[in-house]
């Protein structure tokens, strides 16, 4: 029951503020509280090379590039230091099976930390 | 064998790379013609993957054809058109045909092309694609399924040194380096100060990463204006535009300007070569390369 209800609650709370897309593996903390799934290319390791001179998005010229915004906020917001350090971490590919599920549940069960069997990261900052 | 790897990793030689013209019909004869034109000047040439979101002959088959005519390909793979399965099969297909150099890019959005109604994929991004190529090179698919023997790749990527957020671009280069990129071809850049800051920064955090800035041969002020207005991520300072516009022969002046940019780029830390994008398609490429002090290689074809 709770499992069915939580996605609604999470979306109701996160959508108005962060335009949450319910990817089910929330990384807001490491991206200056800016949702990378609102990037038209859904990059988890942005920004792309198409950012305009004024910091706006290649695809939607009237929108600020969300990765520029994320970077500015990572620097300026009073966020915990470890969150800030996570900004340049290599985030793994999105697990499409988690689409529409609650990232809160996935955080508690650690389901959101499951990566493909071959995935590995070398030389991270931590 | 990758000449590019050999030169970048085991020599101090400066390398020159270029873009192979997209193939749209014209058959192998057109590939042969273009290969013959580029081979004397370049160590390796990019086989592009639907550049600017326009459909063309595929990256892999173009790379195979180039190789047949003695041109070493750097096969690009973009994340726009293929999901992670298709991208891994592109990489394995390249390896099957002895293609070693791969360059992994995000890719322009579908809206940049002539079929903006297409579905954009972006299942993975460029940093993840580099990491996956590295993992294949260690003998595993992304799933962990073994590959024996492991494919041999020499991995590269692209970065835009001149797009915001400027200071983060250095960190992003580092991220790609850690993922497995050994060389970076840089986006066209008309801001020598930004390029300099980027190269210096990268040389500090990733001294082994080989940087290859790009200069572009255009016909005149119109070409510069087009890039400034139409290509997101490229900004041409007004002073450059004015200089070319006001010159008595803009076509000559723009080459002079490009030479200055090229010479400056080659002096920067971490820079090991130059990438040349040719939009002029005339004989200015030969004189440009001569002016840079290059002597043409004799051609070898291994068919
Ligand atoms: S400019 Fe920014 S928001 Fe737009 S597609 Fe690129 S990374 Fe995403």
């Amino acid at each position: 029951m709770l499992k069915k209800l939580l996605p609604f609650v999470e979306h109701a709370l996160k959508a108005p503020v962060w335009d949450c897309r319910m990817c089910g593996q929330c990384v807001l903390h490491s991206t200056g509280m800016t949702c990378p799934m609102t990037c038209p290319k859904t990059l988890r390791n942005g920004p792309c090379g198409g950012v305009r001179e004024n910091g706006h998005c290649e695809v939607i010229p009237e929108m600020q590039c969300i990765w520029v915004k994320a970077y500015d906020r990572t620097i300026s917001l009073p966020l915990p230091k470890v969150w800030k350090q996570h900004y340049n971490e290599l985030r793994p590919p999105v697990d499409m099976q988690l689409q529409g599920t609650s990232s809160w549940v996935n955080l508690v069960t650690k389901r959101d930390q499951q990566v493909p069997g071959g995935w590995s990261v070398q030389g991270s900052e931590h | 064998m990758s000449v590019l790897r050999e030169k970048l990793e085991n020599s101090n030689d400066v390398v020159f790379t270029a873009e192979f013209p997209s193939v749209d019909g014209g058959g192998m004869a057109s590939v042969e013609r273009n290969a013959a034109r580029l081979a004397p000047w370049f160590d390796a040439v990019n086989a592009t993957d639907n550049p600017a979101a326009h459909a063309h002959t595929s990256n892999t088959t173009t790379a195979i054809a180039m190789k047949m005519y003695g041109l070493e390909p750097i096969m690009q793979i973009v994340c726009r058109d293929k999901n992670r399965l298709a991208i891994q099969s592109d990489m394995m297909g390249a390896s099957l045909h002895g293609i070693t150099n791969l360059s992994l890019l995000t890719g322009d959005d579908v809206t940049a092309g002539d079929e903006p109604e297409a579905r954009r994929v972006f299942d993975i991004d460029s940093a993840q694609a580099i990491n996956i190529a590295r993992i294949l090179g260690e003998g595993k698919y992304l799933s962990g399924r073994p590959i024996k023997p492991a494919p041999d790749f020499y991995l590269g990527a692209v970065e835009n040194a001149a797009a915001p957020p400027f200071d983060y671009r250095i960190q992003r280069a580092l991220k790609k380096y850690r993922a497995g990129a050994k060389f970076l071809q840089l986006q066209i850049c008309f801001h020598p100060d930004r390029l300099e800051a980027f190269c210096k920064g990268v040389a500090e955090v990733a001294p082994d990463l080989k940087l290859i800035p790009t200069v572009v041969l255009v016909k005149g002020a119109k070409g510069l204006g087009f890039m400034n207005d139409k290509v997101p991520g490229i900004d041409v300072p007004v002073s450059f535009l004015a200089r070319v516009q006001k010159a008595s022969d803009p076509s000559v002046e723009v080459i002079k300007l490009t030479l200055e940019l090229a010479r400056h780029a080659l002096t920067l830390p971490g820079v090991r070569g130059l990438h040349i994008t040719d939009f002029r398609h005339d004989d200015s490429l030969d004189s440009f390369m001569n002016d840079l002090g290059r002597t043409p290689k004799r051609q070898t074809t291994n068919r």
Side-chain angles (χ1 to χ4, degrees):
Chain A
M1 181 58 202
L2 199 61
K3 221 178 154 187
K4 279 205 175 127
L5 198 63
L6 270 174
F8 290 107
V9 178
E10 182 173 350
H11 190 245
L13 287 173
K14 281 161 97 176
V17 188
W18 294 293
D19 194 11
C20 167
R21 304 292 162 97
M22 294 302 288
C23 69
Q25 44 225 290
C26 192
V27 291
L28 275 175
H29 76 278
S30 73
T31 53
M33 305 308 284
T34 309
C35 174
M37 302 321 273
T38 60
C39 156
K41 299 184 185 174
T42 59
L43 303 185
R44 299 289 264 199
N45 297 284
C48 73
V51 180
R52 291 164 193 269
E53 188 66 8
N54 62 359
H56 281 212
C57 171
E58 163 191 338
V59 186
I60 308 172
E62 48 296 342
M63 177 182 94
Q64 188 184 18
C65 162
I66 78 99
W67 281 100
V68 169
K69 197 193 223 174
Y71 185 62
D72 288 351
R73 287 197 187 169
T74 299
I75 290 170
S76 63
L77 284 185
L79 299 172
K81 202 164 156 230
V82 277
W83 289 13
K84 293 190 185 227
Q85 284 170 347
H86 283 175
Y87 184 75
N88 200 36
E89 239 176 32
L90 179 63
R91 293 172 203 87
V94 170
D95 183 344
M96 295 309 291
Q97 299 172 106
L98 296 182
Q99 183 79 47
T101 64
S102 168
S103 75
W104 294 339
V105 174
N106 300 333
L107 180 76
V108 174
T109 60
K110 296 208 161 55
R111 174 64 180 85
D112 66 347
Q113 282 169 37
Q114 265 179 39
V115 290
W119 181 260
S120 63
V121 172
Q122 56 177 21
S124 117
E125 253 144 301
H126 317 285
Chain B
M1 225 272 292
S2 157
V3 171
L4 185 70
R5 170 163 58 194
E6 203 43 42
K7 283 205 170 175
L8 287 178
E9 303 295 334
N10 297 323
S11 85
N12 289 320
D13 289 0
V14 173
V15 302
F16 283 81
T17 62
E19 212 104 323
F20 199 73
S22 299
V23 182
D24 302 295
M28 290 302 222
S30 79
V31 176
E32 185 168 20
R33 218 170 30 247
N34 283 318
R37 196 168 60 85
L38 297 171
W41 298 114
F42 297 103
D43 300 292
V45 175
N46 295 0
T48 55
D49 186 7
N50 291 350
H54 288 66
H56 296 285
T57 302
S58 71
N59 52 349
T60 319
T61 55
T62 301
I64 295 167
M66 287 165 61
K67 224 167 152 268
M68 280 170 59
Y69 294 106
L71 208 55
E72 177 165 314
I74 300 171
M75 190 175 113
Q76 294 191 331
I77 303 176
V78 306
C79 299
R80 177 194 56 240
D81 306 329
K82 296 164 186 155
N83 72 4
R84 63 194 84 177
L85 296 178
I87 286 177
Q88 289 177 86
S89 57
D90 257 17
M91 293 169 178
M92 292 307 290
S95 167
L96 173 65
H97 288 278
I99 295 157
T100 311
N101 312 319
L102 297 183
S103 173
L104 296 317
L105 296 67
T106 307
D108 299 308
D109 186 62
V110 291
T111 48
D114 56 358
E115 301 188 48
E117 51 291 283
R119 176 193 284 261
R120 49 171 82 87
V121 180
F122 299 112
D123 181 35
I124 55 174
D125 62 34
S126 55
Q128 294 162 349
I130 299 160
N131 202 44
I132 291 171
R134 176 186 59 78
I135 290 166
L136 293 186
E138 289 169 2
K140 284 182 292 201
Y141 285 98
L142 178 58
S143 68
R145 183 159 40 93
I147 309 167
K148 277 189 211 147
D152 176 29
F153 292 135
Y154 186 57
L155 300 178
V158 173
E159 189 51 62
N160 190 340
F166 305 119
D167 25 323
Y168 180 63
R169 293 288 166 184
I170 295 164
Q171 293 300 312
R172 191 165 152 78
L174 175 64
K175 185 187 256 194
K176 289 176 177 178
Y177 172 68
R178 283 183 177 150
K182 305 286 186 211
F183 66 94
L184 280 188
Q185 289 174 314
L186 306 181
Q187 257 280 25
I188 299 165
C189 171
F190 288 96
H191 289 269
D193 52 330
R194 292 182 193 172
L195 184 67
E196 187 161 342
F198 175 85
C199 293
K200 281 186 175 155
V202 173
E204 262 172 42
V205 296
D208 287 338
L209 185 56
K210 319 290 192 270
L211 302 177
I212 306 176
T214 297
V215 293
V216 56
L217 301 177
V218 290
K219 287 215 164 90
K222 231 170 120 192
L224 289 181
F226 175 84
M227 276 188 293
N228 185 57
D229 300 338
K230 294 280 184 271
V231 188
I234 299 183
D235 178 75
V236 185
V238 269
S239 59
F240 285 173
L241 274 168
R243 174 177 153 189
V244 174
Q245 262 159 1
K246 281 189 204 129
S248 55
D249 189 344
S251 165
V252 173
E253 192 63 27
V254 78
I255 292 284
K256 253 177 81 186
L257 173 73
T258 312
L259 258 179
E260 286 166 25
L261 291 171
R263 290 201 173 115
H264 171 256
L266 284 169
T267 63
L268 299 176
V271 169
R272 286 297 311 280
L274 210 57
H275 181 78
I276 293 165
T277 306
D278 181 7
F279 288 139
R280 284 175 70 119
H281 303 297
D282 56 16
D283 52 10
S284 55
L285 175 67
D286 290 356
S287 58
F288 185 80
M289 297 302 281
N290 274 320
D291 287 346
L292 277 177
R294 288 286 274 185
T295 38
K297 285 181 282 178
R298 270 241 245 105
Q299 203 150 335
T300 48
T301 309
N302 49 5
R303 296 187 65 179

